[in-house]
Amino acid sequence: MDQEIQKPVRVKKEKPQLRQSIYSLLPEEMQTWLKDNGEKPFRAGQIFDWLYIKRVTTFDEMSNLSKELRDKLAADFELSTLSTLIKQESKDGTIKFLFQLQDGYSIETVLMRHEYGNSVCVTTQVGCRIGCSFCASTLGGLKRHLLAGEIVEQVVNVQKALDEVGERVSHVVIMGIGEPFDNYDAMMSFLKVINHEKGLNIGARHITVSTSGIIPSIYKFADEQLQINFALSLHAPNQELRLRLMPIAKAYKLPDLIEAIRYYTEKTGRRVSFEYGLFGGVNDQVEHAEELAKLIKGIKCHVNLIPVNYVPERDYVRTPKNDIFSFEKTLKNNGINVTIRREHGSDIDAACGQLRAKERKQETTN
């Protein structure tokens, strides 16, 4: 009798255990940790000074803390969860960082220089599950959510780079890889840390959160009553076209989304920014602009027109300049506040997720 052939047993690969980032904690949370570990709560102020003012890279540099306390911190927390893989610099001053995380995955963070200051665009997830047809961030799907501290550390690392030239991060936009409202709790913790006077002390009105349109979270965010700026990635003036561009429109239909946006503006008294990417021959004609104006009429808002960067992995092309200006003029003629976003980093891998897609193909292919 032939011996039965044993099939090889597939061993499930263990996911690396992520260590807690010290940047996840607010001062009051640090005070609680100190009390729980037999230390004086006032040490929290000293620790935050080392983290956010002196911006140390090791716990041993916290010289006014006892060796015992430094050892406790090192045992419970990680001070550096990101390492720089690539740093691309554009001729316009834009810098794109590709960071590696504790578990080997990678994320992008971008520094953009404006007349009003230095803005950092942060990532909230490794990959993205939203599936927008124009975005390189969705290639390979969602790998995992980022911890709050991993998001904070992106800003800290960019600030360390700016320290070398005597500059400061003044603005933060949550528009990098991932859907922020899909990682809501970590995003909220991040916002509280960077806004806190003992943290990075970035003013709420200098922070912008963007979503692709997760309706329940829009209501939740409105009820938070924050002074933080809010943006919606809209990209289409009707349900049919939005569904073609953004699969999320299947779950969250455009009429319901606009209703949620109206709730936000009425609840907070703040305006919303509609991010509208212009894709050549798809959503960039005058009739689209007329339809968009009707859709958002009466909403306290501003439209940010974004001429898309070409992404090799996608088929969309850039809208001609004349069409961009015609679209803008049509909105203005309809009483809509509108600007055309200035391009950043066109000579580097500027589109969101593009550098990661090029350099880390094992993460961005299914």
Side-chain angles (χ1 to χ4, degrees):
M1 185 175 177
D2 292 337
Q3 192 173 9
E4 188 178 341
I5 298 172
Q6 294 288 322
K7 291 184 178 179
V9 177
R10 185 171 290 180
V11 179
K12 190 174 181 181
K13 192 177 179 182
E14 289 282 329
K15 289 185 178 179
Q17 186 67 37
L18 299 179
R19 278 174 51 79
Q20 168 78 308
S21 167
I22 195 167
Y23 292 104
S24 293
L25 273 62
L26 285 161
E28 50 268 33
E29 293 169 331
M30 178 57 73
Q31 288 174 351
T32 300
W33 180 88
L34 287 162
K35 280 191 268 187
D36 291 346
N37 284 271
E39 300 285 346
K40 302 290 185 186
F42 80 87
R43 297 288 183 195
Q46 295 175 320
I47 292 168
F48 269 65
D49 182 69
W50 286 112
L51 293 175
Y52 296 104
I53 304 300
K54 299 184 176 71
R55 292 187 274 277
V56 295
T57 56
T58 66
F59 289 114
D60 284 337
E61 293 173 73
M62 300 180 176
S63 55
N64 58 354
L65 305 182
S66 69
K67 174 76 164 58
E68 183 183 7
L69 175 52
R70 281 179 275 156
D71 288 345
K72 287 178 184 177
L73 287 167
D76 278 14
F77 302 108
E78 193 66 48
L79 187 56
S80 297
T81 62
L82 312 181
S83 59
T84 304
L85 290 172
I86 295 173
K87 179 181 174 184
Q88 286 187 339
E89 297 193 44
S90 168
K91 59 189 178 186
D92 66 13
T94 300
I95 302 177
K96 175 166 271 196
F97 298 84
L98 186 68
F99 292 123
Q100 181 165 291
L101 304 167
Q102 305 172 60
D103 52 6
Y105 284 129
S106 62
I107 57 170
E108 293 178 2
T109 307
V110 184
L111 166 69
M112 295 168 289
R113 287 183 162 92
H114 303 274
E115 290 179 6
Y116 56 77
N118 294 314
S119 178
V120 177
C121 181
V122 299
T123 284
T124 53
Q125 296 176 306
V126 181
C128 183
R129 66 169 130 219
I130 300 301
C132 298
S133 64
F134 51 82
C135 184
S137 298
T138 66
L139 296 169
L142 176 68
K143 303 304 182 186
R144 72 168 174 89
H145 300 308
L146 292 188
L147 307 175
E150 292 174 318
I151 311 174
V152 174
E153 200 179 331
Q154 292 172 59
V155 186
V156 172
N157 281 12
V158 174
Q159 181 56 64
K160 287 176 180 177
L162 286 175
D163 287 341
E164 297 173 12
V165 291
E167 296 180 26
R168 183 179 184 271
V169 172
S170 59
H171 294 70
V172 170
V173 294
I174 310 179
M175 296 182 182
I177 296 171
E179 164 53 60
F181 281 3
D182 194 29
N183 191 14
Y184 191 90
D185 291 341
M187 178 202 73
M188 289 302 301
S189 294
F190 161 74
L191 291 174
K192 290 172 184 174
V193 170
I194 65 167
N195 178 234
H196 200 286
E197 60 180 6
K198 292 188 181 298
L200 286 165
N201 197 23
I202 295 171
R205 296 189 181 201
H206 288 182
I207 303 169
T208 302
V209 174
S210 177
T211 180
S212 60
I214 298 179
I215 290 175
S217 295
I218 292 173
Y219 284 102
K220 188 175 179 181
F221 191 70
D223 291 340
E224 305 271 6
Q225 292 279 36
L226 302 174
Q227 293 297 302
I228 286 164
N229 302 313
F230 179 55
L232 172 73
S233 294
L234 186 58
H235 306 311
N238 60 62
Q239 170 65 12
E240 184 183 2
L241 185 50
R242 192 165 199 266
L243 185 57
R244 175 180 159 192
L245 293 168
M246 305 175 72
I248 193 172
K250 185 174 182 180
Y252 302 116
K253 293 180 172 52
L254 187 57
D256 299 328
L257 180 57
I258 294 300
E259 187 179 331
I261 293 299
R262 289 186 187 278
Y263 176 85
Y264 171 84
T265 57
E266 290 165 11
K267 177 83 175 185
T268 64
R270 297 182 60 74
R271 77 174 188 179
V272 65
S273 288
F274 289 112
E275 307 286 318
Y276 194 99
L278 293 167
F279 305 101
V282 177
N283 66 345
D284 60 350
Q285 300 304 298
V286 166
E287 55 266 31
H288 295 125
E290 293 282 3
E291 195 174 3
L292 176 61
K294 287 178 186 174
L295 179 71
I296 62 178
K297 186 177 181 181
I299 297 176
K300 189 176 183 179
C301 69
H302 171 265
V303 175
N304 202 2
L305 295 179
I306 309 163
V308 296
N309 287 304
Y310 171 66
V311 179
E313 297 84 1
R314 303 301 192 184
D315 296 328
Y316 297 109
V317 297
R318 195 177 180 84
T319 296
K321 276 188 179 179
N322 287 343
D323 287 352
I324 295 172
F325 294 137
S326 294
F327 200 101
E328 177 194 34
K329 184 179 178 182
T330 303
L331 290 179
K332 283 182 175 177
N333 289 344
N334 280 276
I336 304 295
N337 290 318
V338 57
T339 53
I340 300 170
R341 179 182 289 178
R342 186 167 72 87
E343 194 172 29
H344 292 274
S346 59
D347 56 327
I348 58 177
D349 297 296
C352 188
Q354 195 171 348
L355 177 59
R356 175 173 169 264
K358 185 174 82 172
E359 299 293 338
R360 309 282 281 193
K361 292 190 186 299
Q362 72 275 21
E363 290 180 36
T364 55
T365 51
N366 290 314

